Amino acid sequence: MGCTAERVAEALRAVARVVAEHREELVRLDREIGDGDHGENLNRGFTALVSKLDGDVPGTPGAVLKSAATTLISVVGGAAGPLYGTAFLRAATSVGDAAELDAGAVAGALRAALEGVVARGKAAVGDKTMVDALTPAVAAASSVAATGGDVAGVLAAAAEAAEQGAESTVPLVARKGRASYLGERSAGHLDPGARSTALLLRTLAGSAR
Amino acid sequence: MIGLVVVSHSGTLADGVAELAGQMAPDVRIVPSGGDGSGGLGTDYLAVAEAISQADTGDGVVVLFDLGSAKMVAEMAAEESAGEVLVVDAPLVEGAVAAAVAAQGDAGLPQVAAAASGAASVGAESVGSSAEPETARTPEAADGSTVDSVSAEVLLTNEVGLHARPAALVARSLTGLDARVVVRFGDQEADATSVLALMGLGAPGGGRVEVTATGPDAPEALRRVTALAARDFDE
């Protein structure tokens, strides 16, 4: 079965629940090497998104993603607002007005999201950012989609790769974002943006099962 | 006239920078946008987008920012704006002052942006330039003869000397003239079109500066600067 607007909205509601559960963890990670607002900001953004979806679920998966983008951009603030907002916006553009998304469309949306994040934040793999989680996730998703996997398989592979990618940020010295001001002292900490990206993809994968 | 937007994580900081820059550019729309919109530190996309539209008179807007995510928010808002908007990587305070003065002098969008981004090096030059080797006090052509230049010694009879507002008036008065004007105080000299460089001289009230103008409009440039000083910079 493909991925309808209603299912995308359901998945985003699940993300909101997970972000709320992990709010403290993300705040703690961000306090270690950033300004400490990541958990708070994301939680505020996804809470607002749920309120919006409770009012009305747009008709296509793309429209749901676009609604998420505009909410996150305006409500989240910090770096995460523009970055996640751009990711969702590019994903929305990538899927167009299709009524249902298949595995290829989902993998394509993830790739578009990554390209948006890179364009917005100018980060590369190894800079200790969400790009370190998203880049391997996109590669894994594309490879599963190319070999005939379904949406659940694509997202499961993406989540697995994102988690490993997030873990890989621990020894890195940050070269982007607030953590980069810490220099060597940023090493030894998990990047909060990479962590939230992995959480988000794991939740999407769970919703697609 | 080009408008300015100051984006900061702190509302207090954005307001202060806008206030400071506005002192030297009374007619420029300088709109601060700081904080997360609910009293905390952060950046607020919608507020930044609104600030850009407020600052735009139709000629364009230069946006300055403090830290990384403010840049991203500013860039998103700039992309969504209907007008011409440039997000400029510049030192926030010096950049805002330099951009405001350039905008006040009716400079175009690229020039205002360049004034902001060039502010760092101007500041660096004006500080500690006394360590530089003695330079020729009168510009010389390649053959050693002096080129057309005029100079005058000016007594700063106003109270604060070449402080922020008078420096801005001097810089602004030279807009549109084809002349290079150098103000010398003690063993330091400054380009008179740069507010920051002029302020960096630290010439106090009661001090004497030497003003040298070179180029086709040199006499008019000198006349304007000396006239300003004679009027105590309209204090």
Side-chain angles (χ1 to χ4, degrees), chain B residues 109-187:
Chain B
L109 189 59
Q111 287 77 29
V112 173
S117 56
S121 54
V122 169
E125 268 169 32
S126 67
V127 176
S129 62
S130 57
E132 284 174 14
E134 184 95 350
T135 49
R137 294 184 54 161
T138 310
E140 290 182 7
D143 63 359
S145 65
T146 57
V147 295
D148 288 341
S149 79
V150 287
S151 63
E153 191 176 75
V154 175
L155 176 64
L156 302 171
T157 52
N158 65 325
E159 197 179 331
V160 298
L162 275 183
H163 197 51
R165 205 189 58 88
L169 288 175
V170 169
R172 215 187 298 157
S173 76
L174 300 171
T175 307
L177 293 184
D178 185 1
R180 171 169 159 72
V181 182
V182 172
V183 176
R184 192 174 178 83
F185 177 67
D187 54 3

Side-chain angles (χ1 to χ4, degrees), chain B residues 17 64-65 88-98 115-121 196:
Chain B
V17 170
L64 300 168
F65 57 89
V88 178
D89 195 349
L92 188 61
V93 176
E94 294 90 335
V97 170
S117 56
S121 54
L196 295 164

Side-chain angles (χ1 to χ4, degrees), chain B residues 42 45 53 67 83 89 96 101 110 142 178 190 197 208 213-214 227:
Chain B
Y45 170 77
S53 65
L67 295 170
D89 195 349
V101 171
D178 185 1
R208 281 176 192 279
T214 316

Side-chain angles (χ1 to χ4, degrees), chain A residues 35 37 41 44 73-74 76-83 85-86 89 119-122 178 181, chain B residues 9 36 38 41-46 66-77 79-80:
Chain A
D35 48 10
D37 61 2
N41 287 349
R44 189 171 59 241
I73 289 167
S74 58
V76 174
L83 291 170
T86 302
L89 202 56
R120 176 68 56 208
K122 317 273 190 302
R178 199 67 72 87
Y181 292 98
Chain B
H9 282 64
D36 65 356
S38 47
L41 295 174
T43 44
D44 178 347
Y45 170 77
L46 291 178
D66 61 355
L67 295 170
S69 59
K71 181 185 186 190
M72 280 190 262
V73 169
E75 284 175 347
M76 288 201 92
E79 286 161 23
E80 295 301 313

Side-chain angles (χ1 to χ4, degrees), chain A residues 16-37:
Chain A
R17 287 193 294 277
V18 169
V19 166
E21 283 162 24
H22 289 266
R23 185 176 64 92
E24 292 295 329
E25 179 199 344
L26 292 172
V27 164
R28 178 177 55 75
L29 290 174
D30 198 24
R31 273 209 190 108
E32 287 168 2
I33 56 171
D35 48 10
D37 61 2

